[in-house]
Amino acid sequence: HTARPYLNSSWAVRVLSGRALPTFANKAHRDCSVSMKIEPQQRIRKIVLRKYAHLEPVILLGTRYDESTERNGRMTDRGERADLVWRSPDGTLSLSPICDWTTADVWEYLASCRDEIIERSYADFQDIFRLYGEASEGDCGAIEDMIGSGAKSSACGSRFGCMLCTAVSADWSLANMIEANPGEYGYLKPIQELQAFLVATQYDLNRRFFIGRSITDGYIAIGPDSYHPSMLEELFQICLTIDARERESAYTLGISPRFQLLDVQQIVAIDAIWSLQGYHVPFHGLYLYKKIVIDGYRYETPKIDPEPAIKFPRPRYLYVGNDWTDGLDNRYLGLQEATLDMT
């Protein structure tokens, strides 16, 4: 079973439709982790375990106290243990088998599997060693020790996450991989450039939209808490261009595309939300799709210096009534079909 987020929660629809901004490094709460990882796993767990309603499952976690101070604090609050089952705040039984392991313990285990000291394992993890070695620019002492170079530097600090993650200022692991082995990882260069563009424009208020959509007690918020329609259009065109070039490259190599930023469902969903919110005329997203995918137009990712960090203005509030349609006759909304009404 594979857990997947709802279409509306996927990165493409969430960000490119204007529903939410990317999760930037200075944001305390990782909404993306909740909607794209935690909630999908909870949903699929309920479905899979429905036929075992008479049993109480134990959820195995791979969390470790050694990972970070913040992780250590959260794990301590939950009372995570490797030797006894513990109950999480949401009421489920859990067990953390490697919670007391250090990073070196993890690499030692992987090396033992690779060297067949541990015979029964899911894989020999050769690709893991190669990947982390290239991502760390050859400075990963833990890997080099186990490969046999005798290096004594600190354990590997490379990390891998979502390909367009903006919770970090720069994806150095990906940059090192591309530089170390451009023949194998060069196809990811456009992804790296788009991630850098998203980070560089975090504080560019000219790319923000100030009109809120949610009505609370008759008021909407006026503040830069979403992307401007022109920025959404620009990102949409860049993503379609990156996908188109990857398909062309894959066709030349005789392989399947190695990634896809926007699929058909996401494109239609983004187009519908743009129209619903009045960001663009109806079917503008499909028009851009035709322009890029069929007619061959291409849009480059801008290479710009990061905007300096600023303090965002405090939100102001505008009274609009309890509903967007207050005081309006429905026939002016563009959503009424006279022939259907008469029928």
Side-chain angles (χ1 to χ4, degrees):
H1 298 276
T2 302
R4 291 183 175 86
Y6 287 133
L7 176 65
N8 215 29
S9 298
S10 64
W11 183 91
V13 178
R14 178 185 173 86
V15 174
L16 301 187
S17 72
R19 283 187 53 243
L21 292 168
T23 301
F24 292 110
N26 64 339
K27 192 169 184 180
H29 186 58
R30 299 285 188 256
D31 328 353
C32 53
S33 180
V34 174
S35 61
M36 296 180 66
K37 183 174 69 173
I38 297 175
E39 291 177 350
Q41 291 185 65
Q42 290 173 338
R43 283 197 301 271
I44 203 167
R45 189 172 75 208
K46 289 179 181 177
I47 294 171
V48 171
L49 297 177
R50 193 171 290 156
K51 60 181 177 181
Y52 303 108
H54 59 294
L55 300 174
E56 188 170 14
V58 177
I59 309 302
L60 298 182
L61 301 177
T63 48
R64 296 186 298 108
Y65 285 103
D66 187 52
E67 286 184 70
S68 68
T69 303
E70 293 78 10
R71 175 63 61 85
N72 186 305
R74 290 194 295 269
M75 291 174 63
T76 300
D77 291 341
R78 291 192 292 262
E80 295 195 28
R81 297 183 59 165
D83 57 338
L84 289 175
V85 172
W86 51 276
R87 193 172 292 279
S88 64
D90 66 0
T92 58
L93 293 179
S94 301
L95 187 67
S96 308
I98 64 169
C99 66
D100 298 315
W101 286 26
T102 64
T103 303
D105 292 332
V106 174
W107 284 112
E108 182 180 353
Y109 175 81
L110 297 178
S112 297
C113 295
R114 181 199 62 184
D115 298 336
E116 298 183 350
I117 297 172
I118 295 175
E119 296 180 358
R120 294 178 179 270
S121 65
Y122 290 103
D124 60 15
F125 301 108
Q126 292 282 6
D127 287 340
I128 296 293
F129 282 91
R130 175 182 55 79
L131 198 64
Y132 272 84
E134 292 173 344
S136 62
E137 204 174 12
D139 293 330
C140 188
I143 295 177
E144 292 175 351
D145 262 359
M146 294 167 189
I147 291 176
S149 71
K152 300 296 181 185
S153 57
S154 60
C156 183
S158 299
R159 293 183 69 88
F160 298 92
C162 300
M163 60 182 174
L164 289 175
C165 177
T166 46
V168 293
S169 59
D171 193 339
W172 297 113
S173 296
L174 179 57
N176 290 333
M177 289 167 59
I178 294 171
E179 185 177 350
N181 195 341
E184 183 163 356
Y185 302 116
Y187 72 95
L188 291 171
K189 184 70 173 174
I191 300 293
Q192 181 194 21
E193 293 172 346
L194 178 54
Q195 188 267 354
F197 175 66
L198 291 169
V199 172
T201 56
Q202 177 182 356
Y203 294 101
D204 187 351
L205 294 186
N206 291 321
R207 297 177 180 273
R208 296 294 184 93
F209 199 45
F210 282 71
I211 302 175
R213 296 176 300 279
S214 301
I215 300 176
T216 305
D217 297 328
Y219 289 84
I220 61 169
I222 304 297
D225 64 346
S226 62
Y227 278 141
H228 192 276
S230 61
M231 175 66 164
L232 299 176
E233 180 185 50
E234 183 176 15
L235 291 175
F236 188 77
Q237 293 176 134
I238 291 170
C239 288
L240 286 176
T241 296
I242 291 174
D243 279 350
R245 285 175 171 161
E246 171 57 20
R247 284 193 297 271
E248 292 166 355
S249 176
Y251 179 79
T252 301
L253 295 171
I255 61 175
S256 299
R258 291 155 289 193
F259 65 81
Q260 184 176 25
L261 297 177
L262 289 173
D263 63 29
V264 173
Q265 283 186 317
Q266 292 168 332
I267 291 169
V268 172
I270 292 166
D271 185 89
I273 295 173
W274 281 359
S275 178
L276 178 67
Q277 299 296 345
Y279 290 164
H280 296 288
V281 297
F283 309 116
H284 186 60
L286 299 183
Y287 162 74
L288 296 177
Y289 176 85
K290 175 184 180 297
K291 189 175 180 181
I292 294 168
V293 176
I294 298 177
D295 299 338
Y297 285 82
R298 297 291 180 260
Y299 295 86
E300 306 301 327
T301 304
K303 295 179 176 60
I304 59 176
D305 294 327
E307 289 284 328
I310 60 172
K311 186 176 181 179
F312 287 110
R314 293 171 62 87
R316 308 289 288 272
Y317 296 91
L318 178 69
Y319 184 78
V320 295
N322 292 320
D323 188 48
W324 289 112
T325 61
D326 277 5
L328 295 176
D329 189 301
N330 283 342
R331 64 186 165 192
Y332 297 120
L333 296 181
L335 300 176
Q336 191 164 4
E337 171 52 58
T339 307
L340 182 61
D341 286 353
M342 289 189 291
T343 303

